[in-house]
């Protein structure tokens, strides 16, 4: 009888732990590139998350992290670029198309 009770408790604990772990999973944040701006211009992230930039602008677009820590290379119209977030990822980035002046966006760790 005691063994059966122990098994039920262990099963409930395992279920609770798996639900907590599922809540701590990495997330994917979407950022649209439009002519002259990012939407949203600020994304809230955690290390392990990904930011997916999708180019909805009228021309090719390149994004560069602060101090050129990373670059997307040219993202074609309707194309995308995925940035894996680490604790060392710079919080500011900028980009531009051939037709637009440079504009900025940011990530926030909270």
């Amino acid at each position: 009888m005691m063994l059966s009770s122990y098994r039920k408790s262990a099963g409930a604990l395992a279920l609770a732990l798996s639900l907590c772990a599922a809540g701590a999973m990495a997330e994917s944040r979407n950022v649209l590139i439009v002519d002259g701006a990012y939407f949203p211009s600020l994304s809230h992230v955690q290390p392990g998350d990904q930011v997916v930039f999708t180019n909805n602008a009228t021309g090719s677009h390149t994004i560069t992290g602060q101090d050129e820590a990373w670059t997307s290379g040219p993202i074609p119209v309707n194309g995308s670029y995925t940035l894996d977030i680490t604790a060392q990822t710079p919080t500011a980035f900028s980009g531009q198309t051939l037709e637009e002046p440079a504009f900025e966006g940011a990530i926030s760790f909270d």
Side-chain angles (χ1 to χ4, degrees), residues 1-101:
M1 184 81 156
M2 189 169 175
L3 184 59
S4 176
S5 176
Y6 174 76
R7 285 183 184 155
K8 287 181 184 177
S9 295
L13 179 60
L15 177 61
L17 288 174
S18 68
L19 290 174
C20 287
M25 292 177 61
E27 294 190 32
S28 181
R29 308 289 185 195
N30 295 307
V31 175
L32 292 178
I33 303 165
V34 295
D35 290 326
Y38 295 107
F39 183 77
S41 61
L42 175 65
S43 296
H44 299 278
V45 298
Q46 295 294 323
D49 289 353
Q50 294 182 321
V51 177
V52 179
F53 295 91
T54 302
N55 187 0
N56 284 354
T58 56
S60 178
H61 187 86
T62 299
I63 308 168
T64 304
Q66 183 178 351
D67 297 326
E68 298 184 8
W70 58 270
T71 183
S72 65
I75 306 169
V77 174
N78 298 320
S80 65
Y81 172 76
T82 301
L83 175 64
D84 294 319
I85 302 299
T86 68
Q88 292 76 37
T89 301
T91 57
F93 55 88
S94 63
Q96 73 184 94
T97 63
L98 293 176
E99 299 82 22
E100 297 281 334

